[in-house]
Structure formats: structure tokens, C-alpha cells
């Protein structure tokens, strides 16, 4: 066994119902006195309560998915003009993305209070979109210094969006099993994250206001993002970055739709990883010997989970035009990591995308 693993420095708090208390304490711990509070419309009520407790000098409400460069530049200018010394973001991946865009150039610390399972709060990855192209990069300065998880804040997320967001988190786990810097440590984190999400999501669907399922999903989403931050971006995320940046498809549902197709594409080439993933997803039966079909077990386990939670199925339902598939495939092939378990060719990616566009069963496409 031989590998190199880097562990990111970050304080993580999970405590249902007490996020305001922790947020106030963490701002004080940093010695901050001029807070930029980033929160879009869905988080405005919580932001109002936070603003009473924190020394907020700037409220920023322009929160846009995939973070257009123009939005980032306006937020950075406002932060500089106001002289803020910390950025607090409340919301999903888009809110965290705006905060990261500010931190990238100002080097301000970020405190994140997530309201979805996006996981961006646990990675040093930033993303900006301009001229129909999403650019991503890695810089430790954008990693939030503190993350405060509170499952109460996810209860307002509708069940369908909770499912999509949870499957987006699961995509971090799956991609981490064979991403460019995958190693035994981040694979272990990914597998435990997958187990937690596979257990938590059905509980969220069955009891949307309950704490246990949503706590499990936040825990799983954190582990998933931590694994992804270490392992790097694999084929799945390259596909979704093109779909999101070029065609402005909704982030979490796009990941939820594409995930089973990438798993079905790659799993046959990595049976050991597929076997372990199948077990994490709750399908240990029939995985005792080398002759078992580990890829089928993994794809079947994911299919069962998706059926149980009512996952989104088709890219056409998200607004992708059918005639866009060749352009998407061309961009994906150019961006795909050379370490992907299977060769990434134009025809293969077009086939994968067409199945995802139609909502076909990916197990018939592998």
C-alpha cells in the first residue's frame, strides 16, 4: 500500500437547532467585527435572525447558481467597499459559491451554514461561469474555516429537492472511488458517506420533518465532500460541470440524473470498488466470491435507492435540448481525467448522455 493523503483543516459542528448560538460563538472566536452575510431568498428569514446577533455590515442577497463572474465581481467590490473581515454564508451550494468567490480574491475567512446537502462547504474547490463555460479551481483560501450544520435548517427544503441534493452528495462518494487522487483514506470516507446517505434519504422522504434522517444526510454529505476534496473531480463531475455551466441546468437534479449512468459506465472496470460501494449502499447479498457481478450489484443498489426516494430521471426534464448532446460530449471528452477507469470517447459519452436525456435504465446501457 502506497499513497499520499492531505487532510484539510476545518472546524465542523453538527448540532440540530443550535446553529445561531454556534454561529455567534464562532464569529467571536475569529475576532471578527464586520460581517458580510450572504443569503438568498430561501434563507432570508434565518439571515434576519442571524443579523440581530452578528455585527453585520453588509447583507448580500444576489445568489446565483454556478456563480457568474459578474456576480462574483460585484460581491467582491461590495466586500472591499464595506471593509468586511469575515464572510458568513447561509444556504446551499450557490451561497457557498458566492462566499468562496469573495474569499478567492480577498482571502477573507468564511463561515458556512449549509441548508442543503451540496457539500461545497467542505471543499477548497471554487467555480465560476462566464460565456457558457464553467471554470473550477482549487485553492485552500476558499475552504470555509468553520462549518455549522443544523438539520432544522434543511426541513424547509422540499422533499424532491432534498432527494436531488442528497444524490448530488452521493455523487461525490461515487466519483471519489476512482477520481485522479483516489486513495484508501478518501475511499473509506466516501463509503461511509454513501452508507449514511443511503440510510438517511429514505427517512427524509418518509418523515420530512424528522431530525434523524436529516442528521444522517448532513453527516453523509460532509464525508462525501471531504472525500471529494481529497480525491479530485472525476468523470461524473466533468459531465455535470459542462451541463451546468454551458446550459444552466439545475445543479443538484443534474447530478442526480447523471449519477447512475456514470456508475454503470465505470463500475465494470473497477469491480473491487464496485463491490465495496454496493455494500455501502445496502446490497451485501451475493458479494462473497470473486465470480459475483459487483458492477451489477452496485448499479442495482443505486437503482433501488433511487426508486425508493423518487429520484429525477431525465435530462430532458431539466431543459437540455437533444441536439446539445454532441457539444456536451465534445467538451466532456476534452475535460475528462486520463485516469478514468474506462476510455472516455465521444461515441461512448454521447451514448451515456442520450440515455440520461431519455431517462433510460442505465443498466441496459453498460
Amino acid at each position: 500500500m502506497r499513497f499520499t493523503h492531505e487532510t484539510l483543516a476545518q472546524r465542523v459542528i453538527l448540532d440540530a437547532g443550535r446553529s445561531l448560538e454556534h454561529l455567534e460563538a464562532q464569529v467571536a472566536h475569529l475576532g471578527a467585527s464586520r460581517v458580510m452575510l450572504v443569503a438568498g431568498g430561501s434563507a432570508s428569514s434565518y439571515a434576519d435572525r442571524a443579523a440581530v446577533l452578528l455585527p453585520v455590515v453588509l447583507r448580500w442577497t444576489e445568489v446565483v447558481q454556478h456563480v457568474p463572474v459578474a456576480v462574483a465581481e460585484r460581491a467582491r467590490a461590495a466586500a472591499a467597499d464595506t471593509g468586511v473581515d469575515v464572510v458568513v454564508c447561509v444556504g446551499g451550494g450557490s451561497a457557498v459559491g458566492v462566499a468562496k468567490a469573495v474569499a478567492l480574491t480577498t482571502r477573507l475567512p468564511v463561515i458556512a451554514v449549509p441548508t442543503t446537502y451540496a457539500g461545497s462547504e467542505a471543499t477548497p474547490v471554487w467555480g465560476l461561469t462566464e460565456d457558457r463555460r464553467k471554470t473550477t479551481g482549487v485553492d485552500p483560501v476558499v475552504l470555509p474555516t468553520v462549518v455549522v450544520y443544523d438539520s432544522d435548517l434543511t426541513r424547509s427544503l422540499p422533499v424532491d429537492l432534498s432527494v436531488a441534493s442528497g444524490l448530488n452528495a452521493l455523487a461525490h462518494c461515487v466519483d471519489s472511488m476512482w477520481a485522479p487522487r483516489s486513495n484508501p483514506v478518501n475511499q473509506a470516507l466516501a463509503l461511509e458517506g454513501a452508507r449514511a446517505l443511503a440510510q438517511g434519504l429514505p427517512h427524509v422522504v418518509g418523515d420530512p420533518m424528522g431530525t434523524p434522517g436529516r442528521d444522517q444526510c448532513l453527516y453523509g454529505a460532509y464525508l462525501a465532500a471531504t472525500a471529494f476534496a481529497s480525491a479530485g473531480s472525476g468523470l461524473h463531475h466533468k459531465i455535470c460541470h459542462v451541463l451546468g455551466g454551458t446550459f444552466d441546468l439545475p445543479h443538484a437534479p443534474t447530478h442526480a440524473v447523471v449519477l447512475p449512468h456514470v456508475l454503470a459506465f465505470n463500475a465494470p472496470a473497477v469491480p473491487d470498488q464496485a463491490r465495496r460501494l454496493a455494500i455501502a449502499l445496502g446490497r451485501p447479498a451475493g458479494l462473497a466470491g470473486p465470480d459475483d457481478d459487483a458492477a451489477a450489484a452496485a448499479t442495482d443498489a443505486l437503482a433501488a435507492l433511487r426508486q425508493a426516494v423518487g429520484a429525477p430521471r431525465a435530462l430532458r426534464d431539466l431543459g437540455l435540448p437533444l441536439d446539445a448532446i454532441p457539444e456536451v460530449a465534445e467538451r466532456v471528452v476534452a475535460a475528462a481525467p486520463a485516469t478514468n477507469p474506462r476510455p472516455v470517447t465521444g461515441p461512448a459519452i454521447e451514448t451515456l448522455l442520450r440515455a440520461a436525456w431519455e431517462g433510460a435504465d442505465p443498466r441496459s446501457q453498460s
Side-chain angles (χ1 to χ4, degrees):
M1 184 180 294
R2 183 177 298 168
F3 63 86
T4 299
H5 178 80
E6 293 186 15
T7 299
L8 302 175
Q10 184 181 65
R11 175 172 292 177
V12 179
I13 300 166
L14 193 157
D15 193 357
R18 298 181 60 200
S19 56
L20 284 171
E21 175 184 337
H22 290 295
L23 185 54
E24 184 179 20
Q26 294 308 311
V27 169
H29 179 76
L30 292 178
S33 60
R34 299 183 64 82
V35 174
M36 177 181 185
L37 181 56
V38 177
S42 61
S44 59
S45 177
Y46 182 89
D48 289 342
R49 287 182 285 151
V52 174
L53 298 174
L54 306 179
V56 175
V57 296
L58 175 62
R59 288 279 296 266
W60 188 264
T61 60
E62 189 180 12
V63 175
V64 184
Q65 70 171 358
H66 309 303
V67 193
V69 168
V71 172
E73 290 176 344
R74 286 193 289 271
R76 291 164 177 167
D81 291 344
T82 315
V84 304
D85 57 7
V86 67
V87 183
V88 173
C89 56
V90 182
S94 298
V96 179
V98 171
K100 285 182 171 184
V102 173
L104 184 63
T105 57
T106 64
R107 308 189 71 82
L108 290 168
V110 175
I111 299 177
V113 184
T115 61
T116 72
Y117 311 120
S120 178
E121 68 279 353
T123 80
V125 180
W126 56 266
L128 296 169
T129 303
E130 187 174 36
D131 296 330
R132 301 178 69 243
R133 185 176 295 274
K134 186 169 186 176
T135 301
T136 62
V138 177
D139 192 318
V141 75
V142 308
L143 178 73
T145 302
V146 181
V147 182
V148 180
Y149 289 115
D150 181 346
S151 56
D152 283 4
L153 302 183
T154 68
R155 289 175 177 166
S156 61
L157 190 65
V159 168
D160 60 336
L161 292 182
S162 296
V163 167
S165 186
L167 291 173
N168 175 23
L170 185 58
H172 291 133
C173 300
V174 174
D175 233 14
S176 295
M177 297 302 293
W178 45 66
R181 299 187 303 277
S182 182
N183 66 51
V185 177
N186 50 49
Q187 287 183 11
L189 293 170
L191 290 167
E192 172 62 6
R195 183 204 62 78
L197 288 161
Q199 290 187 359
L201 279 174
H203 284 291
V204 169
V205 173
D207 182 16
M209 295 296 107
T211 296
R214 292 192 177 273
D215 272 353
Q216 278 288 304
C217 286
L218 284 174
Y219 166 63
Y222 168 72
L223 292 176
T226 303
F228 177 73
S230 171
S233 181
L235 177 62
H236 171 91
H237 281 78
K238 298 303 184 184
I239 293 173
C240 292
H241 286 167
V242 173
L243 292 170
T246 304
F247 298 96
D248 199 32
L249 266 60
H251 183 81
T254 299
H255 281 267
V257 169
V258 170
L259 173 60
H261 298 275
V262 176
L263 177 60
F265 179 77
N266 274 337
V270 280
D272 181 60
Q273 289 95 318
R275 185 184 311 277
R276 296 164 69 200
L277 185 60
I279 294 171
L281 293 175
R283 191 61 68 88
L287 291 176
D291 296 330
D292 303 321
D293 191 339
T299 54
D300 285 349
L302 179 58
L305 174 61
R306 287 170 51 82
Q307 177 68 28
V309 299
R313 294 184 54 192
L315 290 176
R316 63 181 172 188
D317 297 337
L318 304 182
L320 182 71
L322 178 60
D323 60 8
I325 287 178
E327 178 186 359
V328 175
E330 181 180 359
R331 294 194 180 199
V332 169
V333 170
T339 56
N340 192 68
R342 286 182 60 183
V344 179
T345 65
I349 296 302
E350 284 201 32
T351 297
L352 184 156
L353 288 168
R354 191 173 294 274
W357 185 86
E358 295 172 350
D361 186 340
R363 292 171 291 181
S364 66
Q365 309 295 316
S366 59

